[in-house]
Amino acid sequence: MFPGYVCNWLDAFSKCHGLPHINAHAFRHTQASLLFFNGIDSVSISHRLGHAHVSTTTDIYSHVIKEAEERISDCVADVILRPAKARLRVVGD
């Protein structure tokens, strides 16, 4: 497959559906962000992206990692600070 094929297809798709230009590489970043926000570790994500070093992944996605960690902290705080009756429902699920 020629690399330009995907780009040409995305351009045609975007025009057909009235969407802005979609860069094929953006899907790579979207995948990495989704994985970080779902708690997947940096080593696994780095391997999936094909980076030779985990530090490459953490350098590129440091802003995403920080935001994901903040969301995780907020989630834990919400569970801990939830009234006791509500906490029991969560544990019993």
Side-chain angles (χ1 to χ4, degrees):
M1 178 187 324
F2 294 106
Y5 177 78
V6 174
C7 294
N8 292 339
W9 185 88
L10 282 171
D11 284 340
F13 181 86
S14 297
K15 287 176 188 172
C16 179
H17 295 283
L19 299 171
H21 171 72
I22 300 172
N23 180 337
H25 196 73
F27 291 111
R28 179 179 174 88
H29 292 294
T30 299
Q31 175 186 209
S33 297
L34 289 171
L35 292 171
F36 276 118
F37 282 119
N38 282 282
I40 306 302
D41 63 281
S42 298
V43 175
S44 297
I45 295 171
S46 180
H47 178 74
R48 178 138 183 120
L49 296 175
H51 292 156
H53 305 284
V54 176
S55 60
T56 302
T57 308
T58 57
D59 288 348
I60 293 170
Y61 295 100
S62 62
H63 64 289
V64 174
I65 294 168
K66 182 180 179 199
E67 188 177 340
E69 288 174 353
E70 288 171 2
R71 286 185 180 187
I72 292 168
S73 295
D74 290 344
C75 179
V76 171
D78 288 346
V79 170
I80 291 172
L81 299 176
R82 195 178 293 157
K85 193 172 186 178
R87 278 199 305 268
L88 290 176
R89 271 188 256 128
V90 171
V91 173
D93 285 347

